[in-house]
Amino acid sequence: MQPNYAMDDAGWDKLISDVAHYFDDLTLKRGFQYYKQKRVQAFRMITQQRIMSLVEGREDYAVSVELDNLPESHCDCPVSGLCKHMAAVLMNYAELQGKPVHSIANAKALVHIPKIPSAPAQGVPGRRGEQLKKLEALIPEATVQQWREYMALLIEPLAHTVRNPQYADRALAAISGVRPKLSPAAAQLFKLHTHLCVLESLVKPGGQPLAANLSSLGYSVGYYTSIAISELQKHITDMMKKSLPLAESPEEWPRVYDTIAYLRGEMLTEARDRSRDQPYFSYCYTLLWTHWITPNLSGPELYAEELEHLRQAGSDLSTNASRHARLLAESRMYYYLQDDAAAMEQLHAAAERPGLHPEELISFLPPLAEARQWTRLTAWLAEIGPLLSSRLYNLQEYAGYWDEAVRHQPEAEPQMWDTLAGMLPLSREIYEEQLLTYGRWPEWMDMQLSAGRQPADFRVSDLQPVEKNAPELLLPFYHQAVERFVLDKNRHSYKAAVKLLKRLAKLYKKLKREARWEEFLEAFTDRHSRLRALQEELRKGKLIP
C-alpha cells in the first residue's frame, strides 16, 4: 500500500494559494469536470510533494504534479503550462486527503464570496413569519408536501443569491435550525427532504431547470452550482445508505409513499443529456428503493404498484428523456419482482439512447452479491457488460463482481471471458488484468504482441508474474523489442536494447537454454557488426568481449 503523505493545515493553505495564483478560472472549471467524471486514474504519491497519475482525455495523459512548485508540474497533453488534467489530479488529491474539493476548484474566488444572510425560523415579521410559525407547529404531523412548503419559506430569502457551495450550506442551515420532535424514521425522512429541497433550488432556480440551457462547453449547470450539487449529492448518498427503521415506525409509510411520488415525478421530468453526470433525481430514486424501501418490504405488492404508477405517469409524458427514465425505473421494478427477462428487456430499451449513466447499470449488481444470488449475478453481469458503452468509465468495479461470481460459481468463468471479449476494446484494461489474475499467460502475451506493446510500457514488477509462471512467453516479447530499438539507430535506443538483452540472458539461463542464447547473441552481433555504437554498448554491457 502506498503511503498517504498527509498534508498539514499550513501546507493545505499554501496549496490553495498557489492554485489561485497559477491556474486560471476556466482551467479549474474544466479540471473539476474531469475530476467529477472520475477521469483521474492510477493515482500515486511518489513522494510527499510529488504525484504521478493518468488522466483520461482524448488520450490517456501522464501527469506529474509538484505540490511545492506547481509551475514545475508536467502533463503529456498539448497544452503548455498548467492544464485541466493537473487541476483534476489536485482535486483527486484533495479528496484523498479528506480536504474540501471545492477549495481547489474555487480557489480563485473562495475568499471573495459574499456573506449570505440566513433565514431564521423564529422572529420573522409579517405574514411570512406567521406562516412559518404555523407550519413549524405542524411538522410532527405534517405531510411531506407541507414539509416542503415550510422548507421553501425558510430558504426564500436566499432566492436571489448566487447558487454556489456557500448558498447550499446556508440553505441547509436555515432548515436544519428547526428541530422538531420526530421519530428516528421521520427525522431521516425530514433530513432527506431538506437536502432534496436545496437540491431542487440548485437545479431549478425559479422553477426552471438549468439544464434547459446548455452552454457551449457542454456543462448542464454553472461551475459553482455544479460544485454545490456534487457535495450535496455526496451528503444524500451517505445519508441514504443508512437504513430507515420503518419496522419501528410503521406510521411513516405514508410519508415514504409521498417521497416515492415526489422523486418519481422529478426523475421523469429532469433533463438527460449525454454528459457523464448521473441525473440527480434518478440517482435519489434508485437510492430510495435500494436502501430504504426494499429492506423494509416482505412482499411484492409495492413493486407492482410502482409499475402501474410509472406507466400512468409515462403516458402523460412525451419526451425521449422521460421515456428512457421510465423504462429504466420499470426495469428496476421487474428486477425486484425477480422477473429478469422483463427487467432486461426494459433495460435494453432504455439503453438505446446514448448516454445512459454507467452507475445506473452497475446499481443492479450489489443487491445480488449481498443476497449471494450467484446465478442471477452472472446473468446480469453478462447482460450489463455490453451496455457499458463509455470508454471513460472505470470498469474495475464491474470486474470485481465477475471475480466474486466466479469464485462462488466456477462454471461461470467461460461466460466471463465471452462477455469481456465481446466488450473489447472498451474492456481491454480489465480483460488484461483478468487474464493475469486467472493465469492465462499465453492469451495475455498475445494481446501485448498484437497491440505492439513494448517491455518499456511496463514496470519490471508488472512482468514478474509472467516471468515466474511462463518465462518462455517473454522471449518473443523481448526479442521483438530489441530489434525495434536497433532499427532506431541511435545511442539511446542501443542502450535500451542492451538492457533488454541482459534480461533475455537471465531468461535463457532460467530456462536452461544457455546454448541457444549463445547462438542468438553470436548471430545478433554478427548481423549488426557495422553498427559501431551498438557494438560499444554491447561491450559496456559485458555481453561481448
Side-chain angles (χ1 to χ4, degrees):
M1 180 180 295
Q2 61 170 310
N4 181 40
Y5 292 124
M7 175 175 277
D8 59 24
D9 291 342
W12 176 248
D13 291 341
K14 179 182 182 299
L15 180 61
I16 297 300
S17 177
D18 288 348
V19 169
H21 179 73
Y22 292 111
F23 282 87
D24 63 74
D25 221 20
L26 182 60
T27 299
L28 291 174
K29 183 183 298 184
R30 290 173 172 169
F32 176 74
Q33 292 297 321
Y34 270 41
Y35 155 78
K36 188 177 176 185
Q37 293 165 1
K38 300 181 180 179
R39 299 194 187 203
V40 179
Q41 303 295 327
F43 183 98
R44 295 182 64 216
M45 292 292 300
I46 305 301
T47 68
Q48 189 167 3
Q49 298 297 337
R50 189 183 182 197
I51 302 169
M52 297 289 289
S53 185
L54 287 178
V55 179
E56 298 169 336
R58 292 181 180 177
E59 301 176 10
D60 289 347
Y61 297 115
V63 179
S64 171
V65 173
E66 304 292 338
L67 294 173
D68 59 345
N69 192 357
L70 291 180
E72 294 298 316
S73 301
H74 174 75
C75 178
D76 286 346
C77 75
V79 176
S80 59
L82 301 183
C83 64
K84 59 188 176 185
H85 308 107
M86 298 176 191
V89 170
L90 284 168
M91 292 172 202
N92 194 75
Y93 171 73
E95 178 186 346
L96 294 176
Q97 289 284 323
K99 304 290 188 182
V101 173
H102 74 80
S103 294
I104 296 286
N106 194 23
K108 298 188 80 68
L110 191 62
V111 296
H112 303 297
I113 296 177
K115 295 292 182 181
I116 302 174
S118 60
Q122 305 293 335
V124 180
R127 182 181 175 187
R128 179 173 171 274
E130 294 175 5
Q131 288 177 307
L132 287 174
K133 289 180 180 179
K134 181 179 178 181
L135 288 172
E136 182 178 358
L138 293 173
I139 285 178
E141 305 299 327
T143 64
V144 164
Q145 180 57 36
Q146 290 170 326
W147 279 359
R148 295 185 63 78
E149 290 174 3
Y150 178 60
M151 293 170 185
L153 283 171
L154 284 172
I155 65 174
E156 188 178 21
L158 309 178
H160 300 293
T161 57
V162 176
R163 297 302 194 266
N164 56 26
Q166 192 182 31
Y167 163 84
D169 291 343
R170 293 302 179 93
L172 289 172
I175 302 173
S176 301
V178 180
R179 300 184 181 277
K181 293 182 179 180
L182 297 169
S183 69
Q188 280 182 256
L189 286 164
F190 187 81
K191 185 178 180 181
L192 170 63
H193 281 281
T194 296
H195 285 72
L196 290 175
C197 178
V198 178
L199 176 62
E200 185 176 346
S201 72
L202 289 167
V203 178
K204 299 191 294 184
Q208 295 298 319
L210 287 173
N213 299 310
L214 298 178
S215 72
S216 59
L217 291 174
Y219 304 130
S220 56
V221 296
Y223 170 49
Y224 299 120
T225 305
S226 182
I227 295 174
I229 290 172
S230 179
E231 294 183 352
L232 194 61
Q233 280 188 298
K234 185 178 185 304
H235 291 320
I236 292 174
T237 301
D238 293 342
M239 179 199 322
M240 296 189 76
K241 285 186 177 179
K242 298 176 182 176
S243 60
L244 185 67
L246 284 173
E248 303 168 10
S249 305
E251 71 278 2
E252 294 305 322
W253 273 105
R255 284 173 173 155
V256 173
Y257 299 145
D258 289 344
T259 304
I260 296 172
Y262 167 74
L263 286 175
R264 182 196 312 124
E266 294 296 327
M267 171 195 68
L268 292 174
T269 54
E270 72 180 324
R272 275 179 171 265
D273 57 32
R274 297 188 183 186
S275 74
R276 288 171 49 128
D277 296 334
Q278 186 171 359
Y280 314 120
F281 292 101
S282 176
Y283 183 53
C284 296
Y285 177 86
T286 300
L287 288 172
L288 179 70
W289 282 97
T290 302
H291 298 290
W292 281 13
I293 298 177
T294 298
N296 285 292
L297 291 181
S298 57
E301 294 80 8
L302 192 57
Y303 303 131
E305 289 178 19
E306 182 64 7
L307 269 174
E308 289 303 317
H309 285 306
L310 288 166
R311 290 173 185 142
Q312 181 59 43
S315 65
D316 301 328
L317 300 167
S318 59
T319 65
N320 286 333
S322 63
R323 176 179 178 272
H324 287 277
R326 175 178 59 82
L327 288 170
L328 183 63
E330 288 181 5
S331 173
R332 199 170 299 281
M333 293 306 114
Y334 281 120
Y335 163 87
Y336 287 132
L337 289 167
Q338 299 200 33
D339 186 349
D340 286 349
M344 291 174 182
E345 181 181 356
Q346 298 297 85
L347 186 62
H348 275 275
E352 289 175 1
R353 178 180 183 268
L356 190 65
H357 195 276
E359 288 292 348
E360 295 179 303
L361 298 170
I362 296 294
S363 63
F364 285 88
L365 304 178
L368 299 178
E370 291 170 10
R372 304 178 68 81
Q373 297 181 18
W374 309 119
T375 300
R376 282 188 77 197
L377 178 61
T378 299
W380 275 92
L381 283 163
E383 201 73 25
I384 284 173
L387 302 181
L388 293 167
S389 56
S390 171
R391 67 169 289 275
L392 295 174
Y393 182 65
N394 186 345
L395 294 173
Q396 295 296 334
E397 184 180 5
Y398 174 74
Y401 282 112
W402 266 120
D403 286 337
E404 198 166 355
V406 171
R407 185 165 59 252
H408 291 90
Q409 199 171 39
E411 62 271 23
E413 186 176 339
Q415 196 170 6
M416 176 183 74
W417 296 119
D418 289 344
T419 304
L420 293 180
M423 293 168 61
L424 290 169
L426 173 71
S427 62
R428 181 181 181 89
E429 181 180 349
I430 61 166
Y431 188 42
E432 291 183 1
E433 288 183 8
Q434 295 295 83
L435 288 172
L436 290 175
T437 301
Y438 286 79
R440 297 170 73 107
W441 319 112
E443 293 97 324
W444 183 85
M445 184 53 67
D446 285 345
M447 288 195 71
Q448 312 315 314
L449 292 171
S450 63
R453 302 285 291 277
Q454 300 187 46
D457 297 330
F458 302 91
R459 296 187 297 267
V460 174
S461 58
D462 294 334
L463 297 174
Q464 281 177 346
V466 185
E467 184 172 335
K468 178 180 178 181
N469 295 281
E472 68 280 358
L473 297 176
L474 290 173
L475 295 178
F477 192 41
Y478 288 170
H479 276 295
Q480 187 182 81
V482 167
E483 295 300 334
R484 284 177 179 166
F485 282 131
V486 173
L487 286 174
D488 289 340
K489 293 186 178 180
N490 61 65
R491 180 74 69 168
H492 177 76
S493 64
Y494 293 155
K495 289 181 179 179
V498 169
K499 186 180 293 186
L500 269 183
L501 286 169
K502 287 184 174 182
R503 289 167 71 176
L504 268 171
K506 291 180 180 178
L507 277 179
Y508 276 106
K509 184 176 181 180
K510 183 175 183 178
L511 293 167
K512 299 180 179 179
R513 299 181 188 173
E514 291 91 339
R516 178 70 186 90
W517 162 249
E518 294 296 337
E519 291 175 13
F520 161 75
L521 184 60
E522 183 179 350
F524 176 85
T525 305
D526 184 61
R527 188 167 72 252
H528 300 297
S529 59
R530 295 185 179 183
L531 300 177
R532 295 179 61 185
L534 174 61
Q535 297 292 320
E536 289 176 9
E537 293 302 327
L538 289 169
R539 291 189 185 92
K540 287 180 182 178
K542 299 181 179 179
L543 291 174
I544 61 174

